Amino acid sequence: MSTSVNFSVGDPFPMPILAQADGGMFQVDRNGIMFLLQLSHTDAIAVEAFRTGEIEFALTEVDGILFLLYRIDGIFKDGWGDAPLSLSLVKKELLPDEKSLVDPTIHLYLVDTNLKILLAQRTAHVPEEFAEIIRQNVRTQKEEPLSALAFQKKVSAVWAKKSSADLREMAAAAHTLPMALENAKLH
């Protein structure tokens, strides 16, 4: 990696945010696996829930599109959200390679979309089975790339038929990040 990106809570988020809407973004690039949650209305409870609370993840693939499903107690009262994975907006020089896919870590970021600042960050190691589903989808996307428009059409078609809860029911893998406070008590 030629340049280093500094993620510091309270500072402007160092990467461009293409969609200004509330919700999750799931990305894989040369720096690894990333989940970005963008919210326009946050409070201290939401920040702590993201930083230290239990977070549930699941993966479902529909029509070649991999959805990261997420549920975060303290932020969402309505259950599951989803974030589809696309390589179509990743710059060519930042596309993931086999070396960057080895690490089964997801980097989690909570960003205020109004102020464009990083509110909280966290890392999570996921089981190998979970990581392998992501790797396989990335390999397929690299071999058979979709344009941003084709990707959006496929996602819209899935969303027209399935809710996030429906997608969760179809999940091929799931993982729960435990409360970080419980882990801190053990040390």
Side-chain angles (χ1 to χ4, degrees):
M1 184 168 64
S2 60
T3 60
S4 173
V5 178
N6 186 21
F7 293 93
S8 185
V9 172
D11 286 349
F13 190 68
M15 298 173 65
I17 298 175
L18 301 175
Q20 297 300 317
D22 283 5
M25 184 189 87
F26 180 35
Q27 181 172 309
V28 179
D29 64 21
R30 193 162 301 242
N31 297 306
I33 304 167
M34 178 176 79
F35 171 69
L36 171 71
L37 182 60
Q38 304 173 153
L39 296 175
S40 57
H41 295 52
T42 58
D43 57 21
I45 294 170
V47 171
E48 279 306 300
F50 188 88
R51 196 175 72 77
T52 63
E54 182 177 280
I55 300 176
E56 293 179 73
F57 287 119
L59 292 170
T60 299
E61 189 170 333
V62 179
D63 197 17
I65 305 295
L66 185 65
F67 291 86
L68 177 71
L69 303 146
Y70 54 91
R71 182 165 64 186
I72 306 170
D73 290 334
I75 297 180
F76 299 110
K77 294 175 179 59
D78 299 333
W80 292 90
D82 63 71
L85 176 63
S86 173
L87 297 182
S88 66
L89 298 176
V90 176
K91 292 179 182 176
K92 190 172 184 174
E93 64 271 14
L94 290 177
L95 283 172
D97 56 18
E98 287 302 315
K99 184 178 174 186
S100 62
L101 292 173
V102 170
D103 186 6
T105 301
I106 296 180
H107 303 275
L108 312 166
Y109 303 102
L110 176 63
V111 176
D112 181 305
T113 57
N114 295 322
L115 302 173
K116 296 181 179 46
I117 62 168
L118 180 61
L119 298 173
Q121 62 183 350
R122 187 172 178 180
T123 57
H125 293 282
V126 295
E128 193 57 33
E129 173 192 4
F130 195 96
E132 189 57 30
I133 291 170
I134 297 170
R135 292 180 192 123
Q136 288 298 337
N137 185 270
V138 166
R139 290 177 187 128
T140 299
Q141 285 194 51
K142 287 179 71 176
E143 290 170 11
E144 304 163 19
L146 279 178
S147 69
L149 180 60
F151 169 78
Q152 192 54 49
K153 284 182 178 181
K154 281 187 164 195
V155 169
S156 294
V158 172
W159 283 342
K161 296 176 188 169
K162 306 266 185 216
S163 69
S164 296
D166 294 335
L167 292 171
R168 171 58 184 102
E169 290 298 316
M170 302 165 52
H175 179 66
T176 300
L177 279 71
M179 287 187 67
L181 293 177
E182 289 176 3
N183 294 338
K185 290 177 187 174
L186 297 174
H187 292 90

